[in-house]
Amino acid sequence: MSLATNPRRYVISFIFIAVASIMLLRLFFLQNFEPKYKILANDIAIYKKVVYPPRGVIIDRKGKTLLSNTPIYDLMITPRNVPKTLDTAELCAALDIDIPTYEAILGRVLVRNLDVRQSPFMDLLNEEQTARFQENAYKFPGFELVERNIRVYEKPIAGLVLGYIGEVSPEMLKKPRYQSYRQGDYTGLSGLELQYEEVLRGQRGVHYLERDKFNRPRDPYRNGELDSMEVSGRQLDLYLDMELQEYAEKLMANKIGSVVAIDPRTGGILTMVSSPTFDPNLLRGKERARNYSTLYREPTRPLFNRATQAMYPPGSTIKPFTGLVALNEGAITPNYGYPCGGSYGGCSRRIACEHHDAGHAANFRAALAHSCNSYFCHTFRLMVDYRKYASVKDGLQAWHDYYLSFAYGRQTGVDIPFEGKGLVPDTALYNKMYRGSWNSCTIVFVGMGQGELLLTPLQMANGMCIIANKGYYYTPHFVRAIGKNEKDTLLRKYQQKHVVLNIPDSTFTIVQQAMQDVVDHGTAAAARIDSVTVCAKTGTAENKAIVNGEVIKMQNHSMFVAFAPRENPRIAIAVAIENAGFGATWAAPIAALLMEKYLKDSISAKRKPVEEKMLKANLINKYVYTIDSVNRLRDLRIYNAKVERKRIADSTGRAQDSILYNRWIRHHLRPRSSK
């Protein structure tokens, strides 16, 4: 048969011959010319040393170190290289463990990894263990010391912001992000450590060393020409101010809540506190797992970042935005007034107001300065019922779109993980809640910052940036530069200006003037700072808890938002203190102290008594512990019920599979009757 009559046969034969030739040539090349594979084949004589580089250092806005490294050793084992004649008693003595512990660790290693793979045997040896092992290392073939760098927090602050590292888990290794990791590697698990893992991690190196007659690694193999050098992680420069962070955490001690301060000019976060806080050094070293468990069980939830994840009714702190939207839409004018006599009765139910004196809501500025509930409830209704909209549903949707542009009801995009969205109610939500039958009176509480509206403290602080900047903001973020480079591509999204819906500067000016009135002769007198024009708004958010299915009225949350100076804003701040009462009593003084500390670098003598009061106050309500206990029992019951349902489903599935299998066997393998 010729090529012309059957070309396919010859083509296929040629392909097989070509592929086989390439594979043979490659094997020949690997065997004779590739030094690394020679090393693997000759592993007894050559030691492959993996070198882990130090993670990137993190510094604050003034160049002070927040997070650095210190060297320590892990003990690694390659089980196949451990001889049966190993003196386990001497090894255990060097490591200060007993033989049953040695056998248990070895068993876990063999179960988790193959016996040919180097695996962690003991992490983070102390100085004594390291010294004793190094003295007798030649007696323990199969065991190697690997130097690592563990994190050192220079001060016990900003634990939730900085985050912590830990060993990569088997589940994580299955994810694309961790394809280059192996068992025993460390990775960021929270905060900036997780968000910027690829930046901070660096690149591990591999050094090949020749062994001496005692099996100890000595000189570089082939003068190190096969080595791959480690690359240190890059440094992160933050906007965070270490001194301000430390001061804020002291002010928030023995309180449940959070503080967020941002530079409106850049979106850089100056301080972020979630209280109660914890010493981040607890989450490093051998005791990390135990300490994490202890912190997790703490009723005050120190591992929960209230600044980015807790969602609060903003209370009266939302009133500047209620007015801003209504002013821009033309639903009210700056001179619009409302005759409040101590309550709002426009919806056939009484909504209390803290003021009843005549003229306290004569215009927008006066109403905001006195935080008149009636004025802003009615203003919200005027907005959503405005004649330019076909229905209240269209009006609410327009209001909802404004709030989305303010980064409410969605993640701001801050550069730490697990941020919450908050909640801005829309037409779909109310249609679901009220089966499509609702009006502006149904949702009137939203105008005064209650009802279904929920914001995170980060969103509230970012909202102050918008008013301070008269209509724009930068995505809040911590990192100013990566490896001294402020133009790093990872930072571009944080340097883009976000302009909110077309609102003229004149409208923002009116709101700023009103917020200045709040401080100069309104509810936020506690926020006055000498020679600084402060714009602010106090808030007292109603707080309810559900215990055993019953709604319990709790002490109100103390809320406060501000920015300063008005003429050239340098700081925007939000403070939320749970179960503390009026915003003017607690949140406002704490915010004022922090603004003064940042703007003037010190606290004036006349404010020292206020500072002392804030530092000593203990505002943690005893009901927090009761509610936490009840909620944990509820969660445990839900979890157990879920596990039981899964067990029943699995059992039922196995039974059904068995029935189907038996039917198949009977049908296909039953004896055939003979004819």
Side-chain angles (χ1 to χ4, degrees):
M1 187 179 294
S2 65
L3 176 63
T5 58
N6 191 7
R8 179 182 298 179
R9 174 185 176 185
Y10 291 97
V11 170
I12 293 175
S13 299
F14 175 76
I15 291 174
F16 273 104
I17 293 171
V19 172
S21 299
I22 292 172
M23 293 177 64
L24 289 172
L25 286 172
R26 180 59 179 160
L27 289 172
F28 176 78
F29 175 80
L30 293 177
Q31 184 175 1
N32 294 277
F33 300 103
E34 181 55 70
K36 288 188 178 181
Y37 288 92
K38 283 186 175 181
I39 292 173
L40 293 175
N42 195 29
D43 190 51
I44 296 176
I46 306 300
Y47 169 54
K48 176 183 175 182
K49 179 181 180 182
V50 178
V51 180
Y52 291 91
R55 288 176 72 87
V57 175
I58 300 180
I59 65 174
D60 84 335
R61 61 187 292 267
K62 297 178 181 177
K64 297 179 180 178
T65 302
L66 290 162
L67 185 55
S68 59
N69 307 282
T70 189
I72 201 165
Y73 286 93
D74 289 345
L75 182 62
M76 309 295 287
I77 181 176
T78 306
R80 177 169 291 186
N81 295 340
V82 178
K84 294 181 180 180
T85 57
L86 178 75
D87 189 341
T88 54
E90 187 172 3
L91 175 64
C92 290
L95 300 177
D96 196 24
I97 60 175
D98 54 28
I99 292 180
T101 301
Y102 166 83
E103 293 174 346
I105 297 174
L106 182 59
R108 287 196 295 268
V109 169
L110 292 173
V111 169
R112 188 165 56 180
N113 292 319
L114 298 174
D115 64 349
V116 297
R117 182 183 301 172
Q118 190 179 65
S119 306
F121 184 81
M122 286 185 65
D123 297 332
L124 309 177
L125 272 68
N126 59 39
E127 293 182 3
E128 292 77 12
Q129 290 171 321
T130 302
R132 287 195 296 265
F133 182 89
Q134 286 178 327
E135 290 175 0
N136 301 281
Y138 67 94
K139 299 179 181 179
F140 310 129
F143 290 88
E144 308 285 355
L145 287 178
V146 174
E147 182 177 321
R148 286 191 186 274
N149 288 277
I150 63 169
R151 299 303 246 168
V152 176
Y153 300 86
E154 300 300 327
K155 287 196 173 184
I157 61 173
L160 289 175
V161 171
L162 298 174
Y164 62 94
I165 64 173
E167 186 177 346
V168 64
S169 67
E171 292 75 21
M172 295 168 68
L173 290 173
K174 299 174 184 177
K175 298 178 181 179
R177 184 177 186 180
Y178 301 99
Q179 285 182 345
S180 64
Y181 292 69
R182 64 181 188 179
Q183 194 69 47
D185 285 355
Y186 282 73
T187 183
L189 297 178
S190 71
L192 294 172
E193 291 274 33
L194 172 57
Q195 186 77 17
Y196 291 92
E197 165 64 16
E198 288 72 18
V199 170
L200 293 167
R201 178 195 183 197
Q203 181 177 326
R204 63 171 175 248
V206 178
H207 296 185
Y208 296 98
L209 305 174
E210 294 181 350
R211 300 176 187 266
D212 63 14
K213 63 181 181 179
F214 294 107
N215 202 36
R216 294 174 296 193
R218 288 299 187 190
D219 299 324
Y221 177 70
R222 296 183 62 171
N223 295 320
E225 65 181 55
L226 302 179
D227 295 353
S228 59
M229 297 305 297
E230 63 276 12
V231 179
S232 297
R234 288 186 285 167
Q235 176 177 296
L236 297 184
D237 293 22
L238 307 187
Y239 288 98
L240 194 79
D241 187 304
M242 178 191 282
E243 292 182 7
L244 191 68
Q245 179 76 20
E246 187 175 22
Y247 185 50
E249 292 191 11
K250 288 180 180 178
L251 290 172
M252 290 295 291
N254 297 314
K255 304 168 187 68
I256 296 178
S258 59
V259 173
V260 180
I262 304 174
D263 185 341
R265 301 169 297 181
T266 62
I269 298 175
L270 304 170
T271 184
M272 178 181 284
V273 176
S274 178
S275 182
T277 185
F278 62 93
D279 182 352
N281 285 293
L282 293 172
L283 298 182
R284 58 187 285 270
K286 288 186 176 181
E287 299 300 315
R288 183 183 68 84
R290 181 181 300 176
N291 291 336
Y292 182 92
S293 179
T294 300
L295 291 170
Y296 180 80
R297 292 194 302 268
E298 172 59 42
T300 55
R301 303 173 70 191
L303 295 175
F304 177 65
N305 192 343
R306 291 176 167 85
T308 62
Q309 295 174 289
M311 301 186 298
Y312 302 100
S316 294
T317 63
I318 205 63
K319 290 175 180 176
F321 292 94
T322 303
L324 177 67
V325 173
L327 286 167
N328 193 60
E329 286 294 286
I332 65 169
T333 67
N335 294 324
Y336 173 76
Y338 187 82
C340 174
S343 65
Y344 181 69
C347 289
S348 302
R349 54 181 168 178
R350 182 180 180 274
I351 300 176
C353 181
E354 296 295 328
H355 302 274
H356 60 271
D357 50 302
H360 75 271
N363 53 52
F364 173 72
R365 288 178 61 172
L368 191 68
H370 296 97
S371 196
C372 178
N373 287 342
S374 300
Y375 185 96
F376 289 96
C377 284
H378 196 66
T379 295
F380 176 73
R381 290 188 62 210
L382 291 175
M383 162 62 198
V384 297
D385 285 334
Y386 195 38
R387 61 181 179 272
K388 68 185 288 186
Y389 306 118
S391 67
V392 66
K393 294 178 174 60
D394 291 339
L396 178 68
Q397 199 59 47
W399 170 86
H400 178 269
D401 292 342
Y402 271 101
Y403 274 46
L404 281 186
S405 75
F406 301 149
Y408 295 161
R410 60 183 176 87
Q411 293 178 331
T412 66
V414 65
D415 56 346
I416 55 174
F418 316 126
E419 180 188 6
K421 294 182 179 180
L423 175 63
V424 175
D426 60 3
T427 299
L429 176 64
Y430 286 128
N431 284 341
K432 183 178 180 180
M433 290 178 62
Y434 300 107
R435 299 183 179 180
S437 179
W438 53 275
N439 56 35
S440 61
C441 277
T442 312
I443 60 176
V444 65
F445 289 102
V446 171
M448 53 184 281
Q450 296 288 165
E452 291 70 37
L453 180 64
L454 299 171
L455 302 180
T456 67
L458 175 62
Q459 290 172 328
M460 295 165 67
N462 189 56
M464 289 297 99
C465 292
I466 294 171
I467 295 180
N469 292 332
K470 294 186 177 181
Y472 69 87
Y473 70 95
Y474 296 93
T475 299
H477 58 289
F478 289 96
V479 177
R480 179 176 58 83
I482 297 175
K484 298 295 184 180
N485 180 16
E486 296 185 9
K487 303 298 182 182
D488 190 282
T489 55
L490 291 176
L491 301 179
R492 286 178 184 172
K493 61 183 176 181
Y494 303 114
Q495 297 162 355
Q496 297 174 356
K497 182 186 293 186
H498 302 283
V499 180
V500 302
L501 296 178
N502 297 321
I503 303 175
D505 285 1
S506 57
T507 304
F508 280 106
T509 298
I510 294 168
V511 175
Q512 286 187 353
Q513 290 171 340
M515 293 182 69
Q516 182 179 338
D517 291 344
V518 174
V519 178
D520 291 347
H521 46 263
T523 59
R528 293 175 190 163
I529 302 174
D530 290 343
S531 71
V532 177
T533 305
V534 178
C535 299
K537 186 67 192 79
T538 56
T540 304
E542 190 175 83
N543 174 31
K544 296 179 180 178
I546 299 177
V547 180
N548 292 330
E550 296 184 8
V551 179
I552 298 177
K553 179 69 172 68
M554 303 285 289
Q555 182 85 342
N556 291 332
H557 296 325
S558 178
M559 318 291 284
F560 185 79
V561 294
F563 65 89
R566 177 186 161 193
E567 300 78 10
N568 181 28
R570 294 169 52 200
I571 183 171
I573 192 167
V575 178
I577 305 177
E578 298 180 15
N579 309 309
F582 292 111
T585 305
W586 296 105
I590 287 176
L593 287 166
L594 290 170
M595 287 190 290
E596 184 172 6
K597 174 72 172 176
Y598 178 71
L599 295 172
K600 296 190 171 185
D601 203 33
S602 62
I603 302 300
S604 62
K606 71 177 184 179
R607 201 182 286 273
K608 285 294 182 180
V610 176
E611 179 187 51
E612 190 71 13
K613 178 182 177 182
M614 297 300 118
L615 290 171
K616 291 183 177 180
N618 188 336
L619 303 179
I620 298 180
N621 193 303
K622 63 181 180 180
Y623 290 110
V624 168
Y625 299 92
T626 303
I627 293 172
D628 178 78
S629 177
V630 171
N631 288 340
R632 287 180 187 270
L633 288 174
R634 177 204 63 197
D635 293 343
L636 181 61
R637 287 195 297 269
I638 293 173
Y639 174 77
N640 289 337
K642 182 179 179 181
V643 170
E644 181 63 15
R645 287 195 299 269
K646 186 177 184 303
R647 186 192 67 79
I648 293 173
D650 291 344
S651 178
T652 303
R654 287 193 297 270
Q656 291 175 343
D657 291 343
S658 178
I659 292 171
L660 292 173
Y661 174 75
N662 289 331
R663 287 178 179 174
W664 187 89
I665 291 293
R666 288 196 300 270
H667 179 73
H668 292 278
L669 301 182
R670 63 187 177 186
R672 295 180 182 272
S673 59
S674 59
K675 294 183 179 180

Short mmCIF file of all heavy atoms in Angstrom, two decimals, residues 486-496:
data_model
loop_
_atom_site.label_atom_id
_atom_site.label_comp_id
_atom_site.label_asym_id
_atom_site.label_seq_id
_atom_site.Cartn_x
_atom_site.Cartn_y
_atom_site.Cartn_z
N GLU A 486 4.47 54.91 45.47
CA GLU A 486 3.09 55.35 45.64
C GLU A 486 2.27 55.12 44.38
O GLU A 486 1.03 55.23 44.42
CB GLU A 486 3.05 56.83 46.03
CG GLU A 486 3.68 57.11 47.39
CD GLU A 486 3.52 58.56 47.80
OE1 GLU A 486 2.78 59.30 47.13
OE2 GLU A 486 4.14 58.95 48.82
N LYS A 487 2.92 54.82 43.26
CA LYS A 487 2.23 54.62 41.99
C LYS A 487 2.09 53.14 41.64
O LYS A 487 1.80 52.81 40.49
CB LYS A 487 2.98 55.35 40.86
CG LYS A 487 3.16 56.84 41.08
CD LYS A 487 1.82 57.57 41.16
CE LYS A 487 2.03 59.08 41.32
NZ LYS A 487 0.73 59.80 41.44
N ASP A 488 2.29 52.27 42.59
CA ASP A 488 2.15 50.84 42.32
C ASP A 488 0.77 50.56 41.75
O ASP A 488 -0.23 51.16 42.16
CB ASP A 488 2.36 50.05 43.62
CG ASP A 488 2.48 48.56 43.37
OD1 ASP A 488 1.44 47.91 43.16
OD2 ASP A 488 3.61 48.03 43.39
N THR A 489 0.71 49.65 40.80
CA THR A 489 -0.55 49.37 40.12
C THR A 489 -1.65 48.90 41.07
O THR A 489 -2.83 49.13 40.82
CB THR A 489 -0.34 48.30 39.03
OG1 THR A 489 0.26 47.13 39.62
CG2 THR A 489 0.57 48.82 37.93
N LEU A 490 -1.27 48.25 42.18
CA LEU A 490 -2.27 47.80 43.14
C LEU A 490 -2.97 48.96 43.83
O LEU A 490 -4.05 48.78 44.40
CB LEU A 490 -1.61 46.89 44.20
CG LEU A 490 -1.12 45.52 43.73
CD1 LEU A 490 -0.43 44.79 44.87
CD2 LEU A 490 -2.29 44.69 43.21
N LEU A 491 -2.37 50.14 43.79
CA LEU A 491 -2.93 51.29 44.51
C LEU A 491 -3.72 52.23 43.60
O LEU A 491 -4.29 53.21 44.09
CB LEU A 491 -1.80 52.07 45.19
CG LEU A 491 -0.94 51.28 46.20
CD1 LEU A 491 0.14 52.17 46.77
CD2 LEU A 491 -1.81 50.71 47.31
N ARG A 492 -3.75 51.96 42.32
CA ARG A 492 -4.40 52.88 41.39
C ARG A 492 -5.87 53.09 41.71
O ARG A 492 -6.39 54.20 41.64
CB ARG A 492 -4.25 52.36 39.95
CG ARG A 492 -2.84 52.52 39.39
CD ARG A 492 -2.75 51.95 37.99
NE ARG A 492 -1.38 52.02 37.49
CZ ARG A 492 -0.98 51.47 36.36
NH1 ARG A 492 -1.84 50.78 35.61
NH2 ARG A 492 0.29 51.58 35.97
N LYS A 493 -6.56 52.01 42.07
CA LYS A 493 -8.00 52.13 42.33
C LYS A 493 -8.29 53.00 43.55
O LYS A 493 -9.40 53.54 43.67
CB LYS A 493 -8.63 50.75 42.51
CG LYS A 493 -8.07 49.95 43.67
CD LYS A 493 -8.71 48.56 43.71
CE LYS A 493 -8.11 47.69 44.81
NZ LYS A 493 -8.73 46.34 44.83
N TYR A 494 -7.30 53.15 44.43
CA TYR A 494 -7.50 54.00 45.60
C TYR A 494 -7.17 55.46 45.33
O TYR A 494 -7.39 56.32 46.19
CB TYR A 494 -6.66 53.48 46.77
CG TYR A 494 -6.95 52.04 47.13
CD1 TYR A 494 -5.99 51.05 46.95
CD2 TYR A 494 -8.19 51.67 47.62
CE1 TYR A 494 -6.25 49.73 47.26
CE2 TYR A 494 -8.47 50.35 47.93
CZ TYR A 494 -7.50 49.39 47.75
OH TYR A 494 -7.79 48.08 48.05
N GLN A 495 -6.63 55.73 44.17
CA GLN A 495 -6.26 57.10 43.83
C GLN A 495 -7.23 57.74 42.84
O GLN A 495 -6.99 58.84 42.35
CB GLN A 495 -4.83 57.09 43.26
CG GLN A 495 -3.79 56.63 44.27
CD GLN A 495 -2.47 56.21 43.65
OE1 GLN A 495 -2.34 56.17 42.42
NE2 GLN A 495 -1.48 55.89 44.47
N GLN A 496 -8.32 57.02 42.55
CA GLN A 496 -9.33 57.53 41.63
C GLN A 496 -10.41 58.29 42.41
O GLN A 496 -10.95 57.78 43.38
CB GLN A 496 -9.95 56.39 40.84
CG GLN A 496 -8.96 55.65 39.95
CD GLN A 496 -9.57 54.43 39.28
OE1 GLN A 496 -10.71 54.08 39.54
NE2 GLN A 496 -8.80 53.78 38.43
#
